[in-house]
Amino acid sequence: MAREGLAHRLYTGDVSYDFIGRRRWWYIGSGIVILVAIASLAIAGLNPSIDFKGGAQFQGPLNGHSIQDVTNAVNSAGVSPSTVETTGSGSAKRFQIETKTLTETPGNDQVSKITDALSSQLGIKAGDIDSTTVGATWGSQITHKAVIGLIVFLVAVIAYLSIRFEWKMALAAIIALLHDLVITAGIYSLSGFTVSPSTVIALLTILGYSLYDTVVVFDKVRENTASITGGSRMTFSEAANLGVNQTLVRSINTSIIALLPVIGLLGIGVGLLGAGSLQDLALALLIGLASGAYSSIFIAPPLLCDFKEREPAYQQLAKRVAVRRVKEAREAREPKMQPAVAGAPLPNRPVQPERPSPAEATEAEPAETGDGVTGDLEPDRPRAEGPRVGARPGQPRRRSGRGGRPGGRGGRSRKRR
């Protein structure tokens, strides 16, 4: 359930890792590894098998002897072996020797000399020793055909991706494939393992796997960026990063499933059985699958973003998105204004008391007594009826105006002349 929840959140964008934004770190890491691989290839080179360079190979039961005994037997025949290794385990343990191209003339048959030396010094029958010779011409032809096959494969990949997607996606995918090839070849050079036809088969296998994983990621990126220039709130890099996160769990799961049998093949087949051909195949598969899974996430999508964001349409999109986000951030910092309502006070202003009309003020103001004190101070005291104190007989009582003064609005009373 936790894995499904994480996959769902990655797909919806609730949880996201910025693979595209940190592409400089991925470039630096891959660049260092590639430089080391190229330096090793230039200095030490590869160790091709006799299938590519020509030579002779001898295999037979070890019969309880050591590798040094096998080497001494070959040296006694006047030939220096290039590689000596063992295969199998227990009583079925065997030796495998590779030498340079040998002569098989009637007067100088070096293959027969080595076979006789191994038989006599190791105490085994000559018929139990298998010998294989490959000429230099045959080896060069095999090498040439392998290179031609690799070139045809790359051209077919470029054509397919250009038709299926676009040429910039094809270019990014090819760079990722070359990244995987160089790293795999560099590790073979550093380790000194033999490059055999099994290695070539494994390389073609990992190229197909890496391409498949890259196509899946690119398909999601294309879906997210189909109409992005119309008015999206994301840049091309952000939409591509969302596509990488949406396919992240799938890429991890398929990589683990593919690597588990390869690890078993390398550990059981080589460690227990000691099979050399399985070693060449399993090691190339292990390195290539791991490198292909890495490049389909950390190399190909960032390269595609670098290519696409050079286009004017996506540059304008990035500017519009930046302006929109600055505006939204400014609006978020400013206080929100409440909408105006009839009769409601304006925001950020003190509420003014409502001023009564003159008629209401006249009725509401209390009458003033003769001593200048209003009657509101003693509300229970009845007001005096009758003429005002000091008034002439027959003069009506006048109501006091504003301010307690007779005669109207706080002014003096006008005498009629």
Side-chain angles (χ1 to χ4, degrees), residues 29-65:
S30 296
I32 293 174
V33 175
I34 289 175
L35 287 177
V36 173
I38 292 175
S40 178
L41 289 171
I43 297 173
L46 295 173
N47 181 24
S49 64
I50 63 172
D51 299 284
F52 295 104
K53 64 182 180 180
Q57 185 182 70
F58 299 88
Q59 294 181 348
L62 199 56
N63 199 21
H65 291 80

Side-chain angles (χ1 to χ4, degrees), residues 23 30 41 164 186 200 213-214 244 270-271 330 344 352 362 396:
R23 54 179 173 256
S30 296
L41 289 171
R164 179 72 170 80
V200 176
D213 207 12
T214 303
V244 174
V270 177
R330 187 186 300 114
Q352 300 292 337
T362 304

Side-chain angles (χ1 to χ4, degrees), residues 109 134 193 196 208 253 315 385 395 403:
D109 191 352
V134 178
F193 287 151
S196 64
N253 290 339
Q315 291 178 353
E385 299 292 339
Q395 183 179 1

